[in-house]
Amino acid sequence: MNIAILTSNQPRHKAFISTISSLVYPSLVVVESKLPTTFVNREELFFKRKIKDLNLNFFKVDKGKINSDEVAKLLIERKIDIIFVFGTSILKDNIFSIPKFCINIHTGLVQEYRGVDSNFWALYEKNIEAIGVTIHKINAGIDTGDVLMQKRIELSPDDSIDSIFLKSCAAGFELIENNIDRILNEKINQIKMKKRGKLFKIKNMNNEAILKVKATMKENIQDYLEDKVNRNKRVKIINGVD
């Protein structure tokens, strides 16, 4: 079975490469270059133990070039069966149709929020029970493929926007680690989405929204934690355990 990894070049993505390659040796790793986050130092510290020096064949592309003919050609030449994806630009049909299937980590619960910054928008809308991570197959929609599993993350009133994001990344890695054989052998019951979450794009983010979340998140998380069992009933986890 030939495995490929499609990801980006930041510390969290390096941790993703280390995680997957410790489970299955990838025939190809495609790295899409992106600008670092504003919290890159904290990100490096958070994933320090996860990131390893790897002797792998990396193919680097510029931002927005993940769907290039070069990448498609490599996937075909290496006879890739399964692709693990995290943090790339949206994949197009010329890429995700090549392997048997593509597996993506979405940092959010797709039945509530799709696109980018999903857990941020859950905070913004005080929908704390919708903070989590989803492992799903990629199709032609944006985060609309069959769901393999989900997980909520452990929250603290001291969490920040950044720490929640990093926790959700780590939770996604853990889900794959704990279920790798079932994923590769398609032994997981795949759930088609009955409800599509709200779609947010990069353009939706603004300073006003960030300030609102920072001002209210401590109180909102505390309110959630005090009624966690009942609040979690509002958003049912798909193929996961609360």
Side-chain angles (χ1 to χ4, degrees), residues 123-147:
L123 287 165
Y124 181 84
E125 296 190 339
K126 302 181 182 181
N127 191 14
I128 311 301
E129 51 271 27
I131 293 175
V133 64
T134 302
I135 309 298
H136 68 93
K137 288 188 173 181
I138 290 178
N139 64 8
I142 300 177
D143 301 322
T144 57
D146 292 353
V147 174

Side-chain angles (χ1 to χ4, degrees), residues 108-109 111 129-134 147 149-153 175 191 232-242:
L109 301 184
Q111 64 271 43
E129 51 271 27
I131 293 175
V133 64
T134 302
V147 174
M149 62 196 83
Q150 291 184 326
K151 183 178 182 179
R152 264 186 272 263
I153 62 175
L175 279 178
I191 307 297
N232 284 353
K233 292 177 182 177
R234 300 179 187 177
V235 180
K236 186 178 179 181
I237 289 294
I238 300 172
N239 275 7
V241 179
D242 275 332

Side-chain angles (χ1 to χ4, degrees), residues 77-173:
E77 288 178 347
R78 305 288 172 89
K79 299 180 180 179
I80 298 302
D81 299 297
I82 299 170
I83 300 176
F84 287 91
V85 183
F86 176 56
T88 67
S89 302
I90 296 173
L91 295 189
K92 296 181 180 179
D93 178 77
N94 69 310
I95 299 297
F96 71 74
S97 64
I98 292 173
K100 188 176 181 182
F101 56 85
C102 296
I103 299 296
N104 183 57
I105 295 178
H106 172 72
T107 50
L109 301 184
V110 291
Q111 64 271 43
E112 296 293 314
Y113 301 97
R114 297 180 296 119
V116 297
D117 304 311
S118 291
N119 287 328
F120 172 87
W121 294 110
L123 287 165
Y124 181 84
E125 296 190 339
K126 302 181 182 181
N127 191 14
I128 311 301
E129 51 271 27
I131 293 175
V133 64
T134 302
I135 309 298
H136 68 93
K137 288 188 173 181
I138 290 178
N139 64 8
I142 300 177
D143 301 322
T144 57
D146 292 353
V147 174
L148 275 65
M149 62 196 83
Q150 291 184 326
K151 183 178 182 179
R152 264 186 272 263
I153 62 175
E154 291 297 321
L155 298 173
S156 162
D158 295 327
D159 270 321
S160 65
I161 295 170
D162 296 342
S163 70
I164 288 174
F165 173 68
L166 295 175
K167 282 182 178 181
S168 63
C169 295
F173 303 165

Side-chain angles (χ1 to χ4, degrees), residues 24 26 28 30 36 39 42 44 50-51 60 82-84 92 104 115 129 138 151 167 173 185 202 207 212-213 218 240:
V24 288
L28 176 66
V30 181
F39 57 98
R42 183 173 183 181
E44 287 178 346
K50 273 282 186 185
I51 299 173
K60 298 180 180 180
I82 299 170
I83 300 176
F84 287 91
K92 296 181 180 179
N104 183 57
E129 51 271 27
I138 290 178
K151 183 178 182 179
K167 282 182 178 181
F173 303 165
N185 296 300
I202 293 174
N207 288 332
K212 176 182 176 180
V213 168
K218 186 180 182 73

